[in-house]
């Protein structure tokens, strides 16, 4: 389907899942974090299932997950311009019968999505708490996406838990230096941490991304760390694992 593009927009493709997505360098473009989160997530598969992606941005995670499930996907995004980009990408990929985009504050999620009704929740939230010393991006779109200006990590976890059914699964991507806080909040809000994957920019460097899976009202204990992911090899190019996420087997 043809969709209109604004003057600063382009269409990019995630070849691994044959998904096209509208991006804008002046407003928002998805990062590798979204690809890593969609790869890490194990969404419910059945057609009657419900998947929700919070802090959806231009819809990248939900669009990428559409190749992994037959469930209905709801993307929740606060900023109207980004939600509009996501909506047009849904049309671009002919997913309008399976995916919807809500222009909605995450804190108002229960007004449109019933509590205890969702099988899988994913979220790539803002990473940086706001403090008097915070240096925020002058671009409002990017500042809201990266800093906790409109939602805190505690709110993200509380809303995620409230949306999920018992035994529903949550998948989050964040910064490793906030892993302790993330795990503590998950346990406080009835999400039992089960899988953790650390992502390293390259060998010999500290991890810069962490992915965590939690199960609502899951049994305590049993948390396991999966093998790590390296983003770049010694040659400065994406590693085979990351290339497969981005381009699929055909582009190895």
């Amino acid at each position: 389907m043809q969709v209109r593009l604004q003057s600063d927009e382009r269409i990019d493709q995630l070849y691994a899942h044959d998904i096209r997505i509208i991006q804008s360098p002046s407003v928002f473009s998805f990062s590798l974090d979204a690809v890593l989160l969609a790869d890490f997530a194990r969404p419910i598969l059945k057609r009657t299932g419900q998947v929700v992606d919070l802090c959806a941005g231009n819809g990248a995670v939900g669009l990428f997950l559409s190749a992994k499930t037959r469930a209905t996907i709801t993307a929740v995004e606060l900023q109207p311009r980004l939600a509009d980009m996501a909506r047009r990408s849904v049309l671009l990929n002919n997913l309008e019968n399976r995916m919807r985009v809500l222009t909605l504050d995450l804190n108002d999620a229960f007004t449109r999505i019933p509590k205890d009704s969702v099988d899988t929740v994913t979220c790539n939230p803002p990473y940086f708490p706001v403090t008097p010393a915070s240096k925020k991006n002058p671009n409002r779109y990017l500042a809201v996406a990266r800093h906790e200006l409109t939602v805190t990590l505690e709110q993200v976890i509380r809303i995620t838990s409230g949306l999920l059914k018992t035994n529903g699964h949550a998948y989050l991507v964040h910064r490793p230096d906030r892993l302790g806080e993330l795990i503590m909040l998950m346990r406080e809000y009835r999400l039992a941490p089960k899988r953790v994957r650390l992502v390293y920019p390259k060998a010999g460097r500290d991890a810069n991304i962490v992915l965590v899976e939690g199960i609502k009202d899951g049994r305590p204990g049993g948390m396991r760390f999966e093998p790590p992911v390296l983003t770049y090899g010694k040659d400065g190019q994406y590693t085979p694992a990351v290339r497969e996420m981005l381009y699929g087997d055909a582009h190895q």
Side-chain angles (χ1 to χ4, degrees):
M1 175 180 290
Q2 293 280 47
V3 300
R4 59 180 175 80
L5 294 179
Q6 296 196 27
S7 60
D8 62 342
E9 293 177 345
R10 67 179 189 270
I11 296 175
D12 288 346
Q13 186 156 0
L14 187 78
Y15 291 95
H17 297 303
D18 195 26
I19 291 292
R20 293 184 294 167
I21 184 166
I22 296 170
Q23 307 254 74
S24 166
S26 59
V27 176
F28 190 88
S29 297
F30 74 85
S31 65
L32 185 62
D33 300 22
V35 178
L36 289 162
L37 178 59
D39 176 76
F40 179 73
R42 297 172 178 172
I44 189 165
L45 299 178
K46 61 184 181 181
R47 194 179 302 275
T48 55
Q50 296 289 329
V51 176
V52 171
D53 180 45
L54 301 173
C55 305
N58 64 345
V61 174
L63 290 164
F64 301 158
L65 287 177
S66 69
K68 299 178 69 172
T69 178
R70 296 181 297 165
T72 298
I73 299 169
T74 300
V76 176
E77 172 51 40
L78 170 67
Q79 300 190 76
R81 170 77 193 274
L82 303 190
D84 176 63
M85 291 168 67
R87 234 172 250 117
R88 284 179 286 132
S89 289
V90 169
L91 294 173
L92 191 64
N93 291 280
N94 299 309
L95 290 169
E96 56 269 31
N97 294 326
R98 291 184 45 214
M99 184 172 174
R100 64 173 178 161
V101 180
L102 301 179
T103 308
L104 187 68
D105 189 316
L106 181 149
N107 293 294
D108 297 327
F110 301 142
T111 65
R112 300 289 301 275
I113 308 169
K115 293 187 71 173
D116 307 311
S117 69
V118 178
D119 301 284
T120 307
V121 173
T122 58
C123 187
N124 182 359
Y127 288 165
F128 302 103
V130 176
T131 68
S134 295
K135 292 183 178 180
K136 294 178 284 293
N137 196 300
N139 182 317
R140 176 68 181 178
Y141 295 105
L142 299 180
V144 169
R146 295 173 182 174
H147 296 267
E148 294 180 344
L149 295 170
T150 62
V151 68
T152 65
L153 182 56
E154 186 270 341
Q155 290 169 319
V156 165
I157 300 301
R158 176 173 55 82
I159 298 297
T160 294
S161 179
L163 290 171
L164 284 171
K165 301 174 180 177
T166 295
N167 293 321
H169 289 238
Y171 299 92
L172 296 109
V173 58
H174 221 288
R175 288 172 54 86
D177 61 356
R178 297 189 72 183
L179 178 59
E181 180 186 1
L182 176 58
I183 296 295
M184 180 184 69
L185 286 168
M186 290 175 71
R187 287 175 171 154
E188 180 180 346
Y189 288 100
R190 301 164 52 193
L191 296 173
K194 292 299 179 182
R195 293 167 56 222
V196 180
R197 179 184 294 169
L198 288 166
V199 182
Y200 296 79
K202 59 177 63 176
R205 297 278 296 277
D206 289 345
N208 62 344
I209 297 171
V210 64
L211 299 144
V212 182
E213 175 189 29
I215 300 178
K216 184 172 179 180
D217 295 327
R219 292 182 180 180
M223 185 169 70
R224 61 188 179 87
F225 281 74
E226 296 188 338
V229 174
L230 292 180
T231 304
Y232 297 103
K234 292 180 180 179
D235 59 0
Q237 302 298 311
Y238 283 134
T239 59
V242 172
R243 285 187 60 80
E244 183 171 358
M245 292 179 203
L246 290 167
Y247 307 117
D249 292 334
H251 290 74
Q252 289 291 318

